[in-house]
Amino acid sequence: DPTPTATPGMRVEGGFIRDALNREVILRGLNFSGDHKVPPYFDFHTQPDVTRMRDDWGFNSMRFVLEWVALEPQRGAYDRDYLAAVRQRLDWAHAAGLHVVLDMHQDVYGPGFLGGNGAPLWTCDASRYAAFVPAAQWFLSYLDPNVTACFDDLWNTIALQDAFAAAWAVVAAEFADHPAVLGFDVLNEPYLGSASLDGFERDLLQPFYERVVPAVRAHAPHWLAFLEPSSMRNLGWPTTLSPFPFGDVVYAPHSYDNEAEQGMGFDPARRQAILDNMAALATEARALDAALWIGEYGGQTSHAGIVEYMTAELDAADAQLAGTSYWHYGRDEGYGVLHEDGTEKADVLGVLSRPYPQRIAGTPTVWSFDSVGGVFELRFTAAGTAAPTVVSAPERHYPGGPRVECVGCTAVVEGNQVLVTATSQGAPVTVRLLRR
């Protein structure tokens, strides 16, 4: 079944997302998208734009950006037209065979702070917005005392947390039956406010998640919970989150190079730091009994070293058997995968659109891709199901389809995918894709 059509039956077990046929599911895709942050809260996309994510680029998932302010502009008044427009785009994703992770996004708390997005105006005192002075670099605006005060209100006011949970519950009730939705990313890059580095996750963020997740699952019990560490994890601070009192958790940190994010481009000497950080994230995921999925990675596509940067990120994710979602599917000269005129950024998509195992009928040992030679290799031990392993083989890397070497298996090429069937359960399997 090369195309996923429904999410019920998905679960997290043994450090991986697994489907109803007990195959390990690897999510690779794009964030959809940056312009969802601002009115009218949707981007340029039509149904063919969504379809090309799978047909042209080989992705199987998207992280769908939602805005609390768009959902609940006035307290207790939910915008049904907004939900209807979201449903239309989820329908497009389902038709394309894409899994969707719904993400309640925020940057610098909310639009009350110039350049921010996320929380509605009514969630914080208007005097805080009036006194705000934006920083030259947007992310330094988090340090403004007024932004800090609004986050402190969120983390310390149960009524406000209940309002946030209620908004998520509305989303869950609306889309619980939608076959495209795999799960929910509770809050993008939670900022600690004035809390201590040591205490924020333990004393504030963990209880927050333990309040919100049950509220969502009261309506959508089968949704996977994609839970992020503090935004300080982006600066290298290890998470102090502990195992949750509920299952089906996906650890959902982000992975960015700090120097590149400050506009300095990517120094290839930083490759090892990317690999090491991803290994540390995988260790944290195992400690949480969670799967690992990088909810954001990406870079300024016009900056020096972008190809090496994105190659390092994906090599690191492959090494840790992790899913990823690139920021973002937009038309711009920044992070977007398309230019402003809608044409592809061929160098960037050449890196992102690479082969990977979408579903593995067994336990993977390793997979890797040599972008120069065009060789993809997957090794796994067949177990638990006779359903095929599905490998994405994008045409841009394998014009006319790949040549397949299969040890312990048989393989069939169908379009831009390879379906692999093990010849013996419990035996090792090696699959190689090569250019013709």
Side-chain angles (χ1 to χ4, degrees):
D1 62 339
T3 302
T5 56
T7 57
M10 293 284 196
R11 67 192 190 283
V12 174
E13 184 179 299
F16 288 93
I17 301 171
R18 295 180 184 270
D19 69 9
L21 299 176
N22 204 37
R23 293 176 297 181
E24 294 177 357
V25 178
I26 306 302
L27 303 177
R28 290 288 168 92
L30 303 173
N31 276 265
F32 188 91
S33 74
D35 277 359
H36 282 206
K37 299 178 184 181
V38 295
Y41 303 114
F42 297 103
D43 212 334
F44 65 88
H45 309 93
T46 61
Q47 186 164 3
D49 297 305
V50 174
T51 302
R52 76 188 299 195
M53 288 180 63
R54 188 168 188 103
D55 290 353
D56 295 356
W57 302 331
F59 297 124
N60 66 355
S61 60
M62 67 165 64
R63 180 176 181 244
F64 192 104
V65 172
L66 299 173
E67 288 288 311
W68 187 9
V69 64
L71 173 64
E72 191 183 5
Q74 304 297 323
R75 187 163 195 163
Y78 302 103
D79 189 332
R80 297 293 167 179
D81 290 338
Y82 175 69
L83 291 170
V86 172
R87 178 174 289 277
Q88 180 186 45
R89 287 152 180 81
L90 295 179
D91 290 345
W92 298 343
H94 175 54
L98 298 173
H99 292 303
V100 176
V101 179
L102 299 173
D103 156 50
M104 198 69 80
H105 210 85
Q106 74 78 32
D107 297 293
V108 196
Y109 187 78
F113 298 112
L114 183 64
N117 67 89
L121 296 179
W122 56 264
T123 61
C124 197
D125 192 282
S127 64
R128 296 297 184 184
Y129 306 137
F132 171 69
V133 178
Q137 293 179 301
W138 73 268
F139 48 84
L140 295 179
S141 290
Y142 277 105
L143 302 179
D144 185 279
N146 299 286
V147 175
T148 295
C150 289
F151 273 104
D152 286 347
D153 285 348
L154 176 62
W155 303 132
N156 293 284
T157 307
I158 296 302
L160 190 54
Q161 292 187 23
D162 285 343
F164 181 80
W168 256 123
V170 168
V171 173
E174 180 73 20
F175 302 123
D177 62 345
H178 201 290
V181 181
L182 175 63
F184 61 111
D185 186 338
V186 172
L187 184 64
N188 179 68
E189 297 185 346
Y191 178 62
L192 48 72
S194 65
S196 69
L197 284 169
D198 293 335
F200 170 63
E201 289 188 341
R202 181 189 65 237
D203 299 333
L204 298 172
L205 187 60
Q206 181 115 12
F208 175 75
Y209 284 151
E210 292 180 9
R211 178 178 297 273
V212 175
V213 170
V216 175
R217 286 187 170 165
H219 300 277
H222 57 287
W223 282 6
L224 307 185
F226 290 73
L227 305 181
E228 300 190 27
S230 159
S231 61
M232 301 305 290
R233 185 62 185 82
N234 292 347
L235 301 179
W237 294 94
T239 188
T240 57
L241 291 172
S242 57
F244 293 91
F246 41 75
D248 294 329
V249 171
V250 179
Y251 184 47
H254 299 171
S255 180
Y256 290 103
D257 177 74
N258 291 331
E259 293 181 9
E261 284 295 288
Q262 295 177 52
M264 294 183 279
F266 181 69
D267 180 352
R270 295 279 298 162
R271 174 183 169 87
Q272 190 59 50
I274 298 287
L275 296 171
D276 292 345
N277 182 61
M278 196 72 70
L281 293 174
T283 298
E284 293 172 3
R286 286 191 293 272
L288 293 171
D289 194 24
L292 177 61
W293 174 77
I294 306 305
E296 285 185 27
Y297 71 105
Q300 292 281 348
T301 56
S302 61
H303 287 186
I306 186 62
V307 168
E308 293 83 359
Y309 183 13
M310 295 302 98
T311 299
E313 290 282 7
L314 287 171
D315 286 350
D318 284 356
Q320 302 304 326
L321 317 179
T324 60
S325 188
Y326 176 84
W327 184 271
H328 68 125
Y329 187 1
R331 291 177 176 170
D332 57 53
E333 300 311 317
Y335 289 73
V337 296
L338 304 178
H339 291 291
E340 290 177 352
D341 64 3
T343 58
E344 289 188 2
K345 296 178 181 177
D347 55 346
V348 175
L349 279 166
V351 176
L352 304 182
S353 177
R354 67 191 239 165
Y356 66 98
Q358 299 187 47
R359 301 195 180 211
I360 305 170
T363 303
T365 306
V366 66
W367 74 76
S368 63
F369 177 58
D370 172 11
S371 57
V372 176
V375 179
F376 170 82
E377 181 171 294
L378 166 66
R379 298 180 185 179
F380 67 97
T381 301
T385 178
T389 291
V390 182
V391 179
S392 176
E395 186 175 2
R396 70 183 61 228
H397 288 290
Y398 302 107
R403 180 164 57 90
V404 183
E405 293 179 352
C406 216
V407 179
C409 55
T410 60
V412 176
V413 178
E414 291 189 357
N416 62 0
Q417 296 179 322
V418 178
L419 308 186
V420 178
T421 302
T423 55
S424 178
Q425 293 297 313
V429 174
T430 300
V431 183
R432 293 188 186 90
L433 309 186
L434 304 101
R435 292 175 182 149
R436 294 185 183 276

